[in-house]
Amino acid sequence: MENRIDILHDSGVQMVQYLQHNYKTSQDWFMFISFAADLRNTFFIFFPIWFHLCESVGIRLIWVAVIGDWLNLMFKWVLFGQRPYWWVHDTDYYSNISVPVIQQFPITCETGPGEKSIHAMGSAGVYYVMVTALTTVFLKKRHSPTFKKRFFQALLWSGFWTVQVCVCLSRVFLAAHFPHQVITGVISGIVVAEIFEHVQFIYNASLKKYINTTLFLLVFALSFYLILKAAGVDLLWTLEKAKRWCLKPEWVHIDTTPFAGLFRNLGILFGLGLALNSQLYKESCQGKQGQQLIFRFYCIIASLLVLHLFDSFKPPCKEEILFYALSFGKSAAVPITCIGLIPYCTYHIVNRKCKVI
């Protein structure tokens, strides 16, 4: 069994070498794709746009991203996936031959287990939600010819799979994942997104449900971690490998650790619950003016600008507990700002101008 896994990993390393050798000039493109597929962009870009265009889609984006990443963390702790950039140095598979040379990049040295790829899983889930939303809206147009609807669907799904292929190739090119890890990531992301297509309680969930869900996800993850640790399983084994085999120490970032992602995503979910059940949201977004397209356009522009500045704040990473706490708070502030503060301020600014006129 172990020999088969080594053969699978070796074939993955050969794929990494092939891409790095034959597509060296596309290095910047692959790095951009990997950066664009980060879940952070879902929270800071896609969510503000979709929420103010169609609230249900924005809410579903957050749930799919958060639950998908949480499940990915559980998979990582159970499946113990290797990563190409350290496996080639750590394995005995190449004991009788020279170790394959693969290049590393500033975003290669992620510290968590490799199975499954969260970039691939997150990208697949998020884009699946957006594509299905667009196709649903277009199919509702009664006067559109059937061939136009089919062409539009084919165009959207072609774009979806193009994005997924690019993300998968990017992660393999960067030596951050093996091919089988990105493929299973895409499949898992689609499954999670498809499940949430049929989950209705998320659109009218109370603050109590959001708090209970956040606590459940946190307590379950921490309990699972402590149980495995008590059983002698070192769940932070990958951090040592990352520090040991990463080309440059500064490329190992604390925000790629499993707990960093956990607290960041739970903060987003908790903030979403606070925002949707706040008086600020009810007075602005749920009023008559909140239904106007120009009002929502103002909210989108303001949200993107403010969140871009907000994202530039990087919590200090010397103290892990402080970093996790600040990451949780920063993430919780994203939906609160986007759903509550900005629409509320925009609402009163527009009303004041109308009164002046």
Side-chain angles (χ1 to χ4, degrees), residues 120 122-132 153-167 186 189-190 193:
S123 173
V126 167
Y127 277 86
Y128 188 91
V129 170
M130 293 190 292
V131 168
T132 52
Q153 281 184 294
L155 188 64
L156 284 176
W157 286 112
S158 296
F160 171 82
W161 286 111
T162 299
V163 170
Q164 304 319 311
V165 169
C166 287
V167 171
V186 170
I190 293 175

Side-chain angles (χ1 to χ4, degrees), residues 129-144:
V129 170
M130 293 190 292
V131 168
T132 52
L134 287 172
T135 54
T136 300
V137 170
F138 191 79
L139 289 176
K140 286 182 179 179
K141 295 183 177 181
R142 298 179 181 179
H143 302 294
S144 298

Side-chain angles (χ1 to χ4, degrees), residues 244-277:
R244 181 180 180 185
W245 297 117
C246 188
L247 188 61
K248 296 183 180 180
E250 60 268 24
W251 288 355
V252 179
H253 302 289
I254 188 174
D255 60 353
T256 65
T257 58
F259 282 116
L262 176 66
F263 282 96
R264 179 174 60 246
N265 294 325
L266 292 185
I268 286 285
L269 187 63
F270 177 69
L272 180 64
L274 283 177
L276 289 175
N277 292 277

Side-chain angles (χ1 to χ4, degrees), residues 266-287:
L266 292 185
I268 286 285
L269 187 63
F270 177 69
L272 180 64
L274 283 177
L276 289 175
N277 292 277
S278 68
Q279 193 63 32
L280 298 179
Y281 166 73
K282 294 176 182 178
E283 289 184 13
S284 54
C285 292
Q286 290 190 326

